[in-house]
Amino acid sequence: MVSRVCTLVDLPPLIVPLVTPYTDDGSTVSEIRIARMVRWHKEQGAGGFMVGSDAGEPGSLSLNERKQALEWIMREVGDLPVYVNITGMTTAYTIDLAQDANESGAYAGILTPPPWGGLTPEETQAFLSAVRRHGGLACGWIDPTGHTSGQAEMIHAPGRKNPGLLSEHGFEHLATMPHGTNYEFWSPSGLIHPAGLFGAEKGAAMLEKWAAFKPVLSGLLKLAGPARVGKYVFESIGFEFGPLRGPYMPLSPQGREIADHLLRAV
């Protein structure tokens, strides 16, 4: 496949996957640090925000913490669009997150296969149908394995464009994962992309020269995942955002070296 070179002119707005700031001991999500984070990203030119993706450690947060974090983020975003990962441990949990996101004013949700996995196509269809009927939120379906991507229409809201894969909208050249993730997809408001972990300004610069940056960022994400990378970026620019929650540990020395290289290169 021939790589296409993006320019800042034809690049859609970059929607940033947010990390979750904690207090210093990691016991509590920090309202003050959330506000500081969102304001910094807005100053950098973020086109919107993705809440609760893997960058935000959703598996380490309780249901109430996920809702509380979204509430605090929504206070700061102004008129920028917000997307929310509504994937949960149960169907009821997922529907609860969808209803909360809808009531909070989120533009749309992203749903991925439940973490317990193993659903048949029929069970997946029933799951998506239940969320569509009861969640009250337009959603996109992203299956990183690609096995059930064809069932995305089950969750689409009539009369509107729902989030979907980069490859379905002419941006396959920007993908780090062939079947998308909850922090990498197309939306009507712009692109949710892990380059945004470095801030919209640096992220857009990465995407503009993506052929050079893709192998480095893709390798870093494979090595460390978005939460470690995102937290380290803020640490590097002098923000105190608290530790990752266990069992997650800080970015390794190898990961820090790669992240530092990216920060210097843009």
Side-chain angles (χ1 to χ4, degrees), residues 10-235:
D10 64 16
L11 185 67
L14 183 56
I15 297 177
V16 173
L18 294 175
V19 301
T20 299
Y22 300 115
T23 53
D24 287 344
D25 63 0
S27 64
T28 307
V29 178
S30 172
E31 179 180 4
I32 293 174
R33 289 172 174 176
I34 279 181
R36 188 178 303 157
M37 171 182 67
V38 173
R39 291 169 190 168
W40 182 85
H41 276 301
K42 289 173 71 175
E43 291 171 359
Q44 296 297 308
F49 300 100
M50 175 65 201
V51 180
S53 74
D54 288 353
E57 305 170 69
S60 298
L61 300 174
S62 69
L63 177 62
N64 286 339
E65 284 178 321
R66 289 177 71 172
K67 291 180 179 182
Q68 184 66 82
L70 176 60
E71 178 184 337
W72 289 336
I73 289 165
M74 294 300 295
R75 289 180 186 173
E76 301 293 334
V77 298
D79 59 358
L80 293 177
V82 172
Y83 293 80
V84 183
N85 174 29
I86 61 168
T87 306
M89 291 301 296
T90 68
T91 303
Y93 190 120
T94 298
I95 290 171
D96 193 350
L97 285 171
Q99 292 174 343
D100 179 71
N102 186 51
E103 292 168 1
S104 297
Y107 184 88
I110 280 292
L111 188 57
T112 60
W116 22 273
L119 295 183
T120 67
E122 293 77 15
E123 290 167 340
T124 299
Q125 180 174 332
F127 170 67
L128 294 177
S129 179
V131 176
R132 184 185 61 190
R133 290 197 313 271
H134 303 296
L137 181 72
C139 290
W141 172 248
I142 301 290
D143 182 354
T145 70
H147 294 156
T148 62
S149 296
Q151 293 182 277
E153 69 278 358
M154 286 299 305
I155 203 70
H156 279 188
R160 67 180 298 173
K161 294 180 179 179
N162 286 39
L165 298 176
L166 295 181
S167 60
E168 295 174 347
H169 298 274
F171 294 101
E172 61 275 1
H173 54 289
L174 297 180
T176 63
M177 298 287 288
H179 304 294
T181 69
N182 60 25
Y183 55 89
E184 180 180 289
F185 56 92
W186 175 92
S187 81
S189 310
L191 300 182
I192 291 81
H193 197 279
L197 295 168
F198 292 79
E201 184 176 354
K202 288 184 179 293
M206 286 185 193
L207 294 177
E208 187 180 18
K209 299 178 180 178
W210 186 236
F213 282 103
K214 177 177 180 177
V216 184
L217 181 55
S218 298
L220 177 59
L221 292 169
K222 184 176 181 180
L223 172 71
R228 296 183 186 90
V229 173
K231 282 285 182 73
Y232 181 74
V233 168
F234 275 103
E235 177 186 326

Side-chain angles (χ1 to χ4, degrees), residues 224 227-229 231-232 235 243-244 247-253 256:
R228 296 183 186 90
V229 173
K231 282 285 182 73
Y232 181 74
E235 177 186 326
L244 289 92
Y248 291 110
M249 299 180 71
L251 194 61
S252 68
R256 294 197 295 271

